[in-house]
Amino acid sequence: MKKKCAICDGLDKEFNLCEIHLKAYENLNVGYEDWVKALNNELSMNEYLNKILNLQDTGNAIREVATYLLENNTSLTQNE
Ligand SMILES: [Zn+2]
């Protein structure tokens, strides 16, 4: 049985996310690393996600992923 994206009706590609939301998730990960570097590591994931949600130019898919991560208290850190 094919699993579905945790956010929309798209098919789960990886981490319970469809292709669109997986891409947004990856963009969030990259963005977080940049922010942490810029702020000398003084930024928690939740603070970062809240900042992203407050930015006007944040895209819909990224907004949805950030909201999902906050609501589920999910870390962006991937378990290898
Ligand atoms: Zn999706």
Side-chain angles (χ1 to χ4, degrees):
M1 197 176 109
K2 293 267 190 190
K3 287 200 296 178
K4 282 194 171 178
C5 172
I7 298 166
C8 70
D9 277 339
L11 284 179
D12 171 23
K13 193 168 160 70
E14 214 175 330
F15 310 123
N16 294 322
L17 298 172
C18 68
E19 200 157 358
I20 293 164
H21 287 118
L22 185 64
K23 184 101 185 146
Y25 174 89
E26 284 167 356
N27 286 338
L28 276 172
N29 261 323
V30 171
Y32 179 57
E33 282 166 25
D34 287 346
W35 277 70
V36 165
K37 266 182 222 154
L39 297 170
N40 297 318
N41 293 323
E42 299 200 0
L43 184 72
S44 74
M45 180 56 67
N46 278 5
E47 282 168 343
Y48 167 69
L49 293 173
N50 280 310
K51 274 183 193 293
I52 289 293
L53 286 171
N54 284 324
L55 293 178
Q56 286 194 345
D57 59 352
T58 300
N60 279 342
I62 289 187
R63 218 170 262 285
E64 284 161 4
V65 172
T67 304
Y68 165 72
L69 294 172
L70 279 172
E71 282 175 353
N72 292 278
N73 212 7
T74 306
S75 168
L76 286 180
T77 312
Q78 293 160 22
N79 296 318
E80 296 290 335

